[in-house]
Amino acid sequence: MVNLDIRLKAVYDLAEKCDTFLDVGSDHGYLPLHLIKNNIINKAVVSDINEGPLFNAKENFELYKMRDKAKFILTGGLRDIETRDIDAVSICGMGGELIISILEEDKTKAKGFDYLILQPMNSVNLVRKYLYENGYTIVKEDLVKDRHHFYNILKVIPKKDNREFDEIFFDLGYELFKEGNENFIEFIDYKIRVNKKIIENCKSKNSENAKRAKEKAVDYINRLEGVKKDYESKRCNRVY
Ligand SMILES: C[S@@+](CC[C@H](N)C(=O)[O-])C[C@H]1O[C@@H](n2cnc3c(N)ncnc32)[C@H](O)[C@@H]1O
């Protein structure tokens, strides 16, 4: 069977044993195929909004003789999916705003799963904020790097998060900070570099907008440095 790439392997690793698993926007179907093959799940519901990807998923399930283990549904988001007997869902490899719109469109269904695995390709800050403000808790996170790209993977339960944390963690991931992650510091350094570039670009401009952008970037770098310092001292304390 085709190996999962680093990003999908991290999604796979966050899945826990259950009976029926829904993969929204499955495309090739690799994630549910691997989950079934390794007995993490018994059955899959595989959905996609486009016929081509759903066809590819079906072909792959045929190829690996697992056709009887899955149901295939051509639809957008959670529309037309009977979720009552589905334990968990993954919505991965899509933009953050699309993921939010899928959760928002079928709130009751989205809140009915034991857990959700979300892997936004961008706007992860908006996804974290949406989850926090809409009665979800991020219980685990991973941050992986593949060919110069960072990927965030969130494991979520439909339960209100009562913790209070600085809003910079919508950008960075509070679970990554709290539990530690091998790519966390590199990710912060990357964000610092991006903001230093903004400052550099603003230097040659005299407009009010450029001044504001520069101030914002300076402030953001200070906050990032603060988180980095806290994280490093926390790691140190843990080692000793
Ligand atoms: C980049 S692929 C990601 C495939 C797989 N989930 C992964 O993470 O590797 C995105 C897939 O989502 C599907 N898609 C896009 N919008 C969707 C929606 N609203 N509902 C369901 N599927 C959608 C696309 O057709 C495509 O097959």
Side-chain angles (χ1 to χ4, degrees), residues 4-5 7-8 11 23-32 47-54 56 73-79 81 90-95 98-99 101-102 105 119 121:
L4 296 177
D5 62 16
R7 176 185 64 86
L8 268 185
V11 172
D23 189 28
V24 171
S26 193
D27 197 352
H28 32 63
Y30 294 147
L31 175 68
S47 80
D48 206 286
I49 199 168
N50 291 306
E51 274 181 31
L54 200 66
N56 292 339
I73 303 178
L74 181 67
T75 192
L78 300 171
R79 247 174 276 153
I81 301 178
S90 57
I91 313 176
C92 298
M94 297 178 203
L98 177 56
I99 292 178
S101 75
I102 290 173
E105 186 181 328
Q119 194 280 301
M121 299 299 266

Side-chain angles (χ1 to χ4, degrees), residues 46-103:
V46 177
S47 80
D48 206 286
I49 199 168
N50 291 306
E51 274 181 31
L54 200 66
F55 179 80
N56 292 339
K58 264 187 211 162
E59 292 255 285
N60 283 331
F61 270 76
E62 296 275 358
L63 180 65
Y64 297 111
K65 313 225 174 318
M66 292 191 202
R67 182 67 184 79
D68 59 326
K69 296 274 188 186
K71 219 163 111 179
F72 298 86
I73 303 178
L74 181 67
T75 192
L78 300 171
R79 247 174 276 153
D80 310 316
I81 301 178
E82 175 49 78
T83 55
R84 209 174 13 210
D85 297 325
I86 298 176
D87 302 298
V89 66
S90 57
I91 313 176
C92 298
M94 297 178 203
E97 293 188 69
L98 177 56
I99 292 178
I100 292 172
S101 75
I102 290 173
L103 299 177

